Each structure stands twice: as structure tokens, then as C-alpha cells.
Amino acid sequence: MEGIEEEEEGADEGRNRAAGRGRAKRGRSNSTWGRGDRREKQKGKAEKRKKVKLEGVERVGKKKIKKEKMLEEEQEVEKTDEKEGEKGVGDELGERDGVGKESEDGKGIKEEEEEVDEKGDEGWGETQSAEIGQRVKEEEGEEGTGDVPGKEKKQKIKEKKPEGKMKKKGKKSKEKNEEENAPGKTQKRKSKEEGEEKNNKKPKKEEKEEEKKEAENKWKWWEEEKKEDGVKWTQLEHRGPYFVPLYEPLPDDVQFYYDGKPLKLSLATEEIATFYAKMLDHEYTTKEIFQNNFFNDWRKEMTSKEQKIIKDLDKCDFREIHKYFVDKSEARKALSKEEKQKLKEEADKIQEEYGYCILDGHREKIGNFKTEPPGLFRGRGDHPKMGMLKKRIMPEDVIINCGKDSKIPEPPEGHKWKEVRFDNTVTWLASWTENIQNTLKYIMLNPSSKLKGEKDWQKYEVARRLKDVVHKIRAQYRADWKSKEMKKRQRAVALYFIDKLALRAGNEKEEGETADTVGCCSLRVEHIKLHPKLDGQEHVVEFDFLGKDSIRYYNKVSVEKLVFKNLQLFMKNKDPADELFDRLNTSILNRHLQSLMDGLSAKVFRTYNASITLQEQLKALTNSEDSVAGKLLSYNRANRAVAILCNHQRSTPKTFEKSMQNLQTKIDAKKQQVEEAQQELKKAEDEFEDTKDAKAEANVEKKKKLLKRLEEQLAKLNVQATDKEENKQIALGTSKLNYLDPRITIAWCKKFGVPIEKIYNKTQREKFAWAIDMADEDFEF
């Protein structure tokens, strides 16, 4: 949008220069006249022309200002739409709390950590430059004027002298007079705008060319023959992890105070003090368990002298250190464009060196090539270990995995690796054990890589196989509700919940080691209530427990009579803290599922039910006659049904109310523009009725087109408002990226003419390149 404004204003400036040359020529001619009577005569003519022009500019000016104001408001909405559009359709991932999660199998850095935090770069606000240019032409009623009204132009209209312009004399007089008012400014602004135009255009052009080149050079691994079972790669070479820089001491004028007195801390003690100081304004530091865990671990790292002095956290004053880091953060934000560019270049250099590997002869991007920085553990919910010290990862903690024939990565000088392996049956490049929960952390490839893509593809193919046997499995667990063995009954009821409600299986955990979160197999009696009748339904089970990531699962669901009776039996003579399924655990359930179908697990049920729900909802909700915005609303509604099924919730964003108010303001402004356009159309139609003129007829058509566009934009804004309201507490991103077969979405896009970039941003399109290439509009899950 800005690029178009600059181009068209640049065109105006070109015309201004031409007009200026014309004036100079006339000026030389005028200087040769030299006779008083001619000067008087010319003066009289000039005054007459000036009067006529003044009247003309008053008539034209009022009308034009009104039009320009209307177009200015319209473009403001478009610009804002473009900014909002960068989040991707329905993609509220950046607002989620799901950063830094650990995997379901307890194996550290999870795919979702990379996938869920990816931000979109396309969406609702995409505006075609041709459309904008045409709209401007139509509003002006002339071809090629290129006037795009903006703040600067509006100001010009207010300030300019009444030189005037009669329409039949064209545009030259106006442009001459404008240049006379500010000849220097015009030239300066032009060169500035040309520079900005180049700066703005170049990255976009380069970005498009780069994306096109990447697509052409994309490794189509899915077209190659699969390797033998268990073998993931034949060649793997990389540089190892990038280690977080060592701690830099605080300046001498930034001090820690104990009991009101400054106290110089040792380097290790000071570093840990900064971890706490940085979090002073966070809710965590108000929690007693966080404070106790921090203080205990901090004291362990102190010198014996410091331990004798520092005995009470309440007497510690971190405020000066906190202020130092706040100021440092603000200074970083205030850096000049050049300084920020320099930092970016340094980061890019590190990315280039450590962020790529060679896999089977192809250059692949690594997902998380940096080790985790030291700090204080936060956890989710009321985690019993929050506040404990996450120690710095050293090369001696790291196991390297690479190819036998490849160059082994060099450890930092003066250090050595814990171990070097050549295991081509795993997909990780490096690993270490973190000290809080003793879980493994991994460095893996990027979601767009072959290894991740193959894993996704295989996951959805397993879920598709379940479709062929799911009816048989359901028949069996229904039969087992009547089994004489309590173990079989419990397993059958648990499987019913996993299938019907998409519950996670739940893993066994050591008491006091993690937050009190549960899954289906670890439900306790206190987590459910039984209602023979509730809200007009029979056999209602009320669930209320904390699931993964301490997200509350609350649901009231009507179940089959036999399930209800079995639950009554399972709860009989049990205390609230007793296990509901005391004869069942995750291992027993998964062994049973494996016997029903190779590769079957509780997660496969979630993936199957999520994908099949999306496919069915899309068929039911999509109207082929809808606009693209209407179809996208249908897609988000289908996606929301899946997110609700999988309990992918989020808290309402803090900025939600303000965002909705801004959107409503845009809607109101757009409604006013529509009304004004309707009035303009009526005037044009009346004029045509009176004159039956071809020019008047053309004007009517232009007004109709403008009105149609404005009505489409209003409809689009209304769809956005509906979508925003419906999704304020639902996280669509997790299911879209991790539970929904992307081929369903791509087939839908191709069938109904919806651009894929409206659903998946660039990063996500790279992740699902295999699906985009292989799925056609007839794909069925």
C-alpha cells in the first residue's frame, strides 16, 4: 500500500517538474515584453483568471476533499488489515501461553515448541495493488491521475493558496501553482520518497525471488524410495550446538543490597541474583514455593562467607539490578536502524554457521541449535519445582550424534564432549539431561526438514489406517463393558473416553515431582461427578481436572447407560483421592491398543478424531457460493470444533477488548463510507437520467464498482469481528499444526479456490511442503 502511494506521488512530482519547466520558459518570454500597457493588460487578465480559478477550486476542492477523506479512511483500514493479516487466518499462536513445553513422552524439546510459536506472514489484510490503483482512478473519475490521498496530501489541500483549477484546462495549472508554493520541498520529498520506495521494494522483490528459488530447489524427499525400517539417514554432518555466552558481571555502580547495606557478590552468586532480579515484576516471584526453591538453590552456589551473611530472602534488595536490566532492555529497543541491522547480521552469521546441517547430501535447517540459557525454572501451574536453578549447559554435558564418515564437530576450546555417537536410527543431533526434572533435551531438525516431515506423514497415515478398524475396536470395547473382569471393564470405559472425548492417556508420575496434572488413566474419583439427570439429559458425567500444561478440562457429557453404571461401580467405597481406574495404567492400555492395530496409541485416536472431525465439518459448513472471507470463517469454525474436542484452550488475550473496539471503529467508518458511496451513486444515476450522456453513464458504472468494493470490505470486516469473538478463548494453532492432516486443508483450498497462504503462513507451508505437493482436491482422509 505504501509502495503504491510512493509510486503515484512520485508520478505527481514528475508532472510538477515538467510544469515548472513550462513556467520558467514563459517567465523568460514575459521578461522581453517590457511595455507598461501590455503589463497592465496582462495584469487585468491574470486577475480575471485568478477569480475564475478561485471559484473553480472552491467547487472542485470541496468535492475532492470529501472524496479524499473517504478514500483516506478506507486506506487506513486497508493498512491496518494488512498488519493484522500478518498473523495468518485464525492463527493466534503468538498469543498462546504454550512456549517451552515438554513433550508428551517426557523427552524434552517438543515439536510444538517450534511449531506453535511460528507466526504468520499473510492473512486477512492482503490487498492487491492493482485493486487499490483502480479504486483510486475510479474515485478521481480520471485515468492516470494516480492521486492517493494521505495525511500529507490532506495537509496540502488545507494549506495551499487558492490558485484554482478549471477541469477543462487539465491538471497542469494546479501542479504549477503547487510547485510555486514549495519548490524546494517538492524536490527534497521526491528524492526521499524515491529512496524509501527503493528500500521498501527491494526486500519484497528479493523475498519473492528467494521464496520462488527455494520452492524450485526444495528437496522432494517424499518422491524418493523409503529407507529400510529403522534407518533415518545415511549421512549427517553438523557443527554441534551453539553455547550461550558466559555471564558478564554487572557494572560497579549497580549494586545488590542486603539488610539495607551494599554487598559485593561473587561472580556465580551475582549471576543467579540477576535471574531473580529480572523477574521482580513477574507473578512468579510473589509465590512462596518459587521464593523458597530459589533461595535454597542460590545458597548452595554461594561462598561460605556469603552464606553466613545472606540468610533471609526478605532482607535482599534486587531493585537496582532489576532497574539496570529494564533500562538495558529499553536501550535495546531504542537502537538505531543501523545498530539493529548490525545485531541482525551477527545473529544471521551464527545461524549460518550453526543453524544448518548436511543430511544425505542435502542442506537442512536445524530447529533449535542453541543450548538453553541458565535461569530459574518456571513450570506450568503450581509446579512444585518452580524457582529452582536451571544450570548452564556445558560441552561436557552434551552427547553428539553424527555420521561415521562425517567430520565430528569441534567442542569449544578447552572443553570436550560427554560422548560422540553414530546412531542413524534416531533423528536428534545432540542431547543433554537437564538438571530440574532429569529429562532429556534434544537438538532436532526444523519442522520443514525431511526427518520431521516424514514423521508427520507417518503419523497421519497411521491415523488413516485406524479408519479401517475403528468400528471393530468400538464394538469390542462396548462388549467389554459387560466383562466379568474388572480390569477389562476399566480398560473399555477408559478407551471410550479417549475415543469419544479425545482425552490424553496420562502418564504415571512421581508424587511431588511435577504439577498435579492428570490424563484418562490417572483420573481420580474427585475429578468426576455423576448426575443421573442434568439439564434435560440422562447419565451425565461432569469432568473437572487439570490436563497437560495445567490447562483445566471442564466438561459435562451425556454417556451411555452402561458406561454410567460402570463408573458408579468403579467409584464405590473409594475416597476422593483414590484412582478411578485402579486396575489400569498407560502401559497396560497401550499394550492393548498395539494388539488391536500396529502403531495404535491414545495419541493416534486424538489425531484420527481431530482430522475426521475437520473433514466432516468442512463438508457441512462450506458454501461454494461464499466469498473467500466467508469460506475462511467456515474453515475456522471447523477448526474450532476440533480445538474444543481436543481442549485446546487459552485465556482471553489482554488486548482483546481494545482490539475489538478498534475493529468496531473500522466497521462503523466503513458503514459510513458505504452510505456516502450509495448517495454518490444515486446522484450519478440522477445525472445520467437528466443528460443520457455517455460520460455520465461511465460515471454510474464507476460508482457502482466502488460501492461494490466498499460493501465487500464491510462484509470482510464483519467476518473478522465474528471470527475474533468466537475464537477469543480457543487456540486454533495447536490442532492445525499437530493433529489435523494438512492434506485435508490443502484439498479443501484447491476445491473451493481459497489460496493456501490464507490458511498456512510461509513457515507452515515449508513444513507441509510434502502435503501441498501430493494432495489434490479429491483427497479424503
Side-chain angles (χ1 to χ4, degrees):
M1 194 78 177
E2 290 170 1
I4 292 162
E5 276 191 48
E6 287 162 358
E7 278 181 30
E8 299 189 4
E9 286 187 6
D12 287 344
E13 302 299 345
R15 288 192 293 272
N16 288 344
R17 284 205 306 276
R21 286 195 294 271
R23 272 195 312 279
K25 193 173 178 181
R26 278 201 310 277
R28 286 194 297 273
S29 178
N30 288 344
S31 66
T32 63
W33 292 353
R35 292 180 184 176
D37 57 333
R38 283 192 181 181
R39 279 200 299 269
E40 287 300 317
K41 190 177 179 181
Q42 189 66 21
K43 188 177 177 183
K45 285 182 181 179
E47 284 175 1
K48 190 176 179 182
R49 276 202 306 273
K50 190 173 180 183
K51 188 178 179 182
V52 172
K53 286 179 182 179
L54 180 57
E55 290 168 0
V57 85
E58 282 174 357
R59 286 196 303 271
V60 176
K62 283 178 185 176
K63 190 173 179 182
K64 190 162 178 86
I65 288 169
K66 186 179 178 182
K67 287 179 182 177
E68 289 180 331
K69 186 179 179 183
M70 188 166 122
L71 262 176
E72 184 185 340
E73 288 169 354
E74 182 183 325
Q75 286 183 309
E76 282 300 314
V77 174
E78 287 293 334
K79 284 180 186 177
T80 316
D81 284 352
E82 282 173 9
K83 288 176 186 174
E84 287 186 358
E86 290 180 359
K87 287 190 79 169
V89 178
D91 219 348
E92 307 286 354
L93 308 183
E95 296 168 348
R96 285 195 69 224
D97 293 327
V99 181
K101 292 188 274 191
E102 292 177 3
S103 64
E104 288 177 357
D105 59 0
K107 288 188 177 181
I109 299 170
K110 185 180 178 184
E111 291 174 55
E112 285 180 22
E113 184 172 343
E114 301 153 16
E115 295 162 356
V116 173
D117 289 332
E118 292 162 357
K119 291 186 180 179
D121 54 11
E122 285 118 346
W124 289 101
E126 293 189 349
T127 308
Q128 299 299 325
S129 57
E131 183 185 331
I132 299 163
Q134 183 63 28
R135 188 189 317 132
V136 171
K137 286 178 187 177
E138 287 166 359
E139 186 65 3
E140 289 295 324
E142 302 171 18
E143 285 201 15
T145 57
D147 287 335
V148 179
K151 288 181 183 177
E152 193 174 354
K153 222 159 177 43
K154 193 175 178 183
Q155 187 70 20
K156 196 189 286 182
I157 290 166
K158 285 182 183 177
E159 290 177 357
K160 72 178 181 182
K161 295 176 184 177
E163 314 89 357
K165 178 188 88 164
M166 293 300 285
K167 260 194 173 177
K168 50 187 166 186
K169 292 203 175 188
K171 295 168 273 189
K172 286 186 180 178
S173 300
K174 178 187 171 186
E175 288 159 355
K176 280 185 241 170
N177 289 322
E178 283 178 353
E179 186 166 338
E180 280 172 346
N181 287 341
K185 285 182 183 177
T186 304
Q187 202 64 25
K188 281 181 186 176
R189 198 184 77 202
K190 181 184 184 302
S191 58
K192 185 182 175 183
E193 285 174 353
E194 280 178 345
E196 285 175 1
E197 186 181 335
K198 283 178 186 175
N199 290 339
N200 289 338
K201 276 190 157 184
K202 193 177 177 183
K204 286 183 182 179
K205 190 178 177 183
E206 283 180 0
E207 194 179 320
K208 282 184 179 179
E209 285 175 3
E210 193 178 320
E211 191 172 349
K212 190 178 176 183
K213 193 177 177 183
E214 281 176 9
E216 287 170 0
N217 298 332
K218 179 73 181 175
W219 177 18
K220 294 191 175 183
W221 49 261
W222 53 91
E223 293 178 354
E224 297 177 0
E225 285 186 25
K226 286 188 177 180
K227 291 184 170 61
E228 59 186 272
D229 284 349
V231 175
K232 306 293 184 186
W233 46 266
T234 52
Q235 179 200 9
L236 178 62
E237 188 171 314
H238 57 92
R239 285 292 309 270
Y242 176 80
F243 291 90
V244 177
L246 296 174
Y247 173 67
E248 291 183 13
L250 293 169
D252 292 336
D253 59 339
V254 178
Q255 293 184 315
F256 165 78
Y257 294 85
Y258 185 76
D259 202 13
K261 297 174 185 176
L263 178 64
K264 182 66 178 172
L265 301 174
S266 63
L267 204 63
T269 308
E270 182 184 274
E271 181 181 14
I272 299 164
T274 64
F275 300 155
Y276 192 85
K278 287 174 186 177
M279 295 180 67
L280 274 189
D281 55 359
H282 203 288
E283 186 188 353
Y284 276 104
T285 52
T286 64
K287 296 181 179 181
E288 189 179 350
I289 189 166
F290 187 94
Q291 294 172 351
N292 292 340
N293 285 337
F294 159 72
F295 197 62
N296 288 337
D297 277 7
W298 190 31
R299 278 181 57 79
K300 289 174 190 174
E301 302 299 320
M302 292 178 186
T303 62
S304 55
K305 185 181 177 183
E306 287 168 337
Q307 285 175 344
K308 287 175 185 175
I309 300 170
I310 304 170
K311 293 182 179 180
D312 187 353
L313 183 61
D314 290 336
K315 293 181 179 180
C316 298
D317 186 351
F318 302 91
R319 285 176 298 178
E320 204 167 289
I321 302 174
H322 173 75
K323 185 181 182 302
Y324 168 74
F325 284 107
V326 169
D327 292 345
K328 197 174 178 182
S329 175
E330 291 301 318
R332 194 161 50 245
K333 288 176 190 173
L335 287 174
S336 68
K337 191 177 177 181
E338 292 74 20
E339 289 170 318
K340 285 179 180 175
Q341 181 61 29
K342 192 177 177 183
L343 290 176
K344 184 183 180 297
E345 285 168 5
E346 288 171 6
D348 289 345
K349 192 177 176 184
I350 294 169
Q351 167 81 42
E352 192 64 30
E353 187 175 355
Y354 291 92
Y356 293 90
C357 71
I358 302 298
L359 181 83
D360 295 346
H362 295 270
R363 190 170 184 258
E364 292 272 64
K365 196 173 182 180
I366 299 171
N368 49 314
F369 59 88
K370 295 181 179 180
T371 59
E372 292 181 272
L376 302 181
F377 180 71
R378 301 188 185 192
R380 294 197 171 267
D382 292 325
H383 201 289
K385 293 189 173 184
M386 66 167 68
M388 289 178 71
L389 175 64
K390 282 199 304 181
K391 294 185 176 177
R392 183 180 293 275
I393 305 301
M394 301 301 287
E396 287 74 14
D397 303 316
V398 176
I399 299 170
I400 293 291
N401 189 38
C402 59
K404 274 184 183 178
D405 302 325
S406 69
K407 184 184 176 184
I408 297 170
E410 292 286 334
E413 194 175 343
H415 294 275
K416 61 180 182 178
W417 303 121
K418 180 180 180 180
E419 185 186 339
V420 177
R421 293 184 190 173
F422 311 105
D423 187 354
N424 66 357
T425 64
V426 296
T427 60
W428 52 268
L429 284 63
S431 74
W432 61 88
T433 304
E434 57 87 24
N435 67 293
I436 303 291
Q437 300 188 93
N438 292 317
T439 55
L440 283 167
K441 299 283 185 180
Y442 296 96
I443 284 182
M444 308 280 243
L445 291 185
N446 186 270
S448 63
S449 67
K450 175 195 173 183
L451 297 182
K452 291 284 189 180
E454 273 185 335
K455 191 176 177 183
D456 278 347
W457 186 15
Q458 184 184 11
K459 173 176 75 177
Y460 295 119
E461 285 302 306
V462 172
R464 288 180 82 195
R465 282 197 286 115
L466 175 57
K467 183 175 65 174
D468 299 327
V469 296
V470 72
H471 299 298
K472 185 181 172 184
I473 292 171
R474 285 169 179 164
Q476 185 174 331
Y477 71 58
R478 284 170 185 276
D480 285 344
W481 291 341
K482 301 174 187 175
S483 174
K484 292 179 180 179
E485 290 182 57
M486 182 62 75
K487 180 181 175 181
K488 278 190 178 180
R489 285 196 182 202
Q490 288 192 2
R491 187 182 69 195
V493 171
L495 192 48
Y496 169 77
F497 286 155
I498 286 168
D499 183 17
K500 184 178 173 68
L501 304 175
L503 295 184
R504 290 183 174 87
N507 296 308
E508 300 94 86
K509 297 179 288 190
E510 291 182 32
E511 199 172 330
E513 290 295 301
T514 57
D516 184 23
T517 58
V518 296
C520 186
C521 296
S522 49
L523 283 170
R524 298 192 293 271
V525 172
E526 63 189 330
H527 294 137
I528 68 168
K529 288 179 184 175
L530 303 180
H531 305 280
K533 284 188 178 181
L534 184 69
D535 300 332
Q537 292 182 309
E538 291 187 336
H539 311 124
V540 175
V541 181
E542 184 180 358
F543 293 88
D544 193 358
F545 60 89
L546 291 181
K548 186 184 175 189
D549 297 331
S550 294
I551 292 174
R552 184 189 183 199
Y553 181 90
Y554 182 79
N555 197 5
K556 287 184 274 192
V557 59
S558 177
V559 300
E560 298 194 32
K561 190 177 179 180
L562 276 174
V563 171
F564 193 83
K565 284 191 170 183
N566 273 310
L567 288 171
Q568 287 177 320
L569 183 63
F570 302 160
M571 294 170 74
K572 196 174 180 180
N573 299 323
K574 284 185 181 177
D575 292 329
D578 290 341
E579 290 183 346
L580 180 66
F581 302 115
D582 55 315
R583 312 284 178 90
L584 183 69
N585 59 40
T586 313
S587 302
I588 293 169
L589 180 66
N590 280 331
R591 276 200 302 271
H592 173 65
L593 292 173
Q594 280 286 340
S595 70
L596 297 173
M597 188 191 94
D598 184 39
L600 185 59
S601 66
K603 188 170 184 180
V604 174
F605 263 101
R606 275 173 73 80
T607 306
Y608 164 75
N609 280 314
S611 292
I612 209 76
T613 299
L614 178 75
Q615 186 167 275
E616 288 169 355
Q617 288 289 310
L618 285 176
K619 284 179 181 177
L621 296 172
T622 309
N623 181 354
S624 58
E625 301 299 315
D626 279 350
S627 64
V628 171
K631 289 171 186 171
L632 289 170
L633 181 61
S634 298
Y635 181 86
N636 277 358
R637 283 176 170 163
N639 192 356
R640 184 165 56 256
V642 176
I644 290 167
L645 174 73
C646 296
N647 197 42
H648 292 149
Q649 300 179 32
R650 61 171 186 165
S651 55
T652 304
K654 291 176 183 176
T655 57
F656 178 77
E657 289 301 327
K658 188 178 178 183
S659 177
M660 283 300 286
Q661 284 172 9
N662 291 341
L663 192 53
Q664 190 57 51
T665 303
K666 293 176 202 170
I667 289 169
D668 294 340
K670 188 64 69 180
K671 281 179 181 175
Q672 189 178 344
Q673 289 176 24
V674 169
E675 287 171 10
E676 288 174 1
Q678 286 169 341
Q679 290 168 8
E680 289 288 324
L681 175 59
K682 192 174 183 308
K683 283 180 188 176
E685 285 173 338
D686 291 344
E687 188 181 334
F688 175 60
E689 282 296 318
D690 293 340
T691 62
K692 299 295 181 182
D693 186 280
K695 189 177 178 183
E697 187 179 9
N699 190 37
V700 168
E701 288 305 311
K702 286 173 183 177
K703 297 298 178 187
K704 280 182 180 176
K705 285 180 184 177
L706 179 64
L707 177 60
K708 187 181 175 185
R709 282 200 185 93
L710 289 170
E711 285 173 340
E712 284 172 357
Q713 288 164 0
L714 178 60
K716 189 175 174 183
L717 287 169
N718 283 324
V719 166
Q720 276 185 278
T722 304
D723 198 49
K724 223 177 181 72
E725 179 62 40
E726 289 178 355
N727 293 320
K728 65 181 177 183
Q729 289 184 303
I730 303 292
L732 300 180
T734 306
S735 54
K736 189 168 83 172
L737 294 179
N738 300 302
Y739 288 99
L740 300 177
D741 189 329
R743 291 170 292 184
I744 299 169
T745 298
I746 291 153
W748 177 82
C749 284
K750 289 178 179 179
K751 185 174 181 178
F752 292 101
V754 177
I756 292 170
E757 55 269 23
K758 295 285 185 181
I759 305 291
Y760 295 128
N761 63 41
K762 186 187 172 189
T763 309
Q764 293 159 359
R765 292 196 300 276
E766 288 173 357
K767 172 182 166 70
F768 295 135
W770 59 273
I772 292 169
D773 188 62
M774 68 171 64
D776 57 27
E777 65 178 57
D778 299 320
F779 173 83
E780 288 282 329
F781 180 72

